[in-house]
Amino acid sequence: MRKIRALIGMPVVVGNRRVGRVIQAELSEDLTRLDGLWMDAGLRGTRFIPSEQLEMLGRVAVMADDIGRRGRMRTEPLFRRAIGTDGRRLGAVTGAEVDEMTFSVRALELSRGLWEDLARGRDRIRTFTLNRENGDVVVDVAESEKEGLDDEERNGEGPDHGRRDRRLGGDDVRHHELAERQEDEPAVQKDGPLDRGQDR
């Protein structure tokens, strides 16, 4: 998967020739698919390449069949308010992850604010709907929390992965891991002569 934010500035290659660079990704109205890419083609102007003319979103370049059509970039970068199904305001959708081959949106990126992003990183939202009246993204809070827990257990991190209130030891080991390690270690009898003082 590729983050659409990471596509900005990437070269666009058509027929083994670089024709421009990506300046913006455009998603479908329901935020489920990549509609296409806007490209700065220099003297050829700003052009829109629809997803049907895209071959692949590569690691170093975007491969396309055609340079697209010239036009004025009318869309704005993705920025939608996110509301939970319980009515709480969750933050803002500021990005998305797209499949490199099918161009379908696999997850939306949810920002809960600058400090939260720095402390925990942005959340991945996979279960959502779009309120077509005001453009808000409605997130199924219960399903998202369940998905997050499943991901943590699958990665072997347990339910306290990514929590701000987790306590770490001096060597970045969690305190409950230190306690478990002490229980697992067998008791060792002290060697009397070695434990004595060396002042003789």
Side-chain angles (χ1 to χ4, degrees):
M1 287 185 291
R2 300 299 310 278
K3 294 184 178 181
I4 60 174
R5 192 170 56 248
L7 298 175
I8 308 303
M10 289 185 65
V12 178
V13 176
V14 176
N16 297 325
R17 188 167 59 92
R18 178 176 172 168
V19 295
R21 62 182 182 86
V22 178
I23 53 177
Q24 187 172 299
E26 183 173 316
L27 298 184
S28 60
E29 285 290 328
D30 58 359
L31 305 181
T32 61
R33 180 174 170 77
L34 178 71
D35 263 358
L37 298 174
W38 287 95
M39 173 185 70
D40 178 6
L43 296 177
R44 294 181 178 179
T46 303
R47 292 179 171 268
F48 180 73
I49 306 175
S51 58
E52 293 79 15
Q53 296 177 347
L54 294 174
E55 293 180 14
M56 185 180 64
L57 306 178
R59 291 293 171 187
V60 295
V62 173
M63 311 299 291
D65 293 328
D66 191 74
I67 62 172
R69 65 178 185 274
R70 187 168 183 167
R72 184 185 297 274
M73 190 170 61
R74 59 192 177 280
T75 59
E76 298 178 356
L78 178 62
F79 191 86
R80 304 283 184 97
R81 185 170 60 175
I83 304 292
T85 48
D86 56 1
R88 288 183 296 131
R89 180 170 180 174
L90 302 178
V93 173
T94 57
E97 294 180 2
V98 179
D99 187 279
E100 298 98 326
M101 303 299 293
T102 65
F103 311 130
S104 60
V105 173
R106 294 295 183 88
L108 297 178
E109 279 188 353
L110 175 66
S111 169
R112 296 180 184 268
L114 177 60
W115 297 113
E116 287 284 329
D117 291 351
L118 291 174
R120 296 178 31 184
R122 294 180 178 174
D123 294 334
R124 297 177 72 246
I125 304 298
R126 291 184 289 185
T127 307
F128 63 91
T129 56
L130 189 68
N131 185 334
R132 296 188 179 277
E133 293 182 3
N134 55 21
D136 289 349
V137 175
V138 181
V139 179
D140 187 337
V141 177
E143 192 66 25
S144 297
E145 290 176 352
K146 179 181 176 184
E147 289 174 355
L149 183 60
D150 290 343
D151 288 341
E152 288 162 0
E153 291 175 349
R154 188 162 44 243
N155 292 331
E157 293 292 344
D160 63 347
H161 172 67
R163 297 274 177 86
R164 289 170 297 170
D165 56 354
R166 73 180 182 192
R167 294 175 300 166
L168 299 178
D171 56 351
D172 288 347
V173 178
R174 298 188 187 106
H175 283 286
H176 71 270
E177 292 176 352
L178 290 173
E180 291 171 0
R181 186 179 303 164
Q182 289 174 353
E183 291 175 2
D184 293 340
E185 290 177 354
V188 179
Q189 293 182 351
K190 293 183 179 180
D191 191 341
L194 293 177
D195 292 332
R196 293 174 188 160
Q198 302 293 325
D199 54 350
R200 291 184 180 178

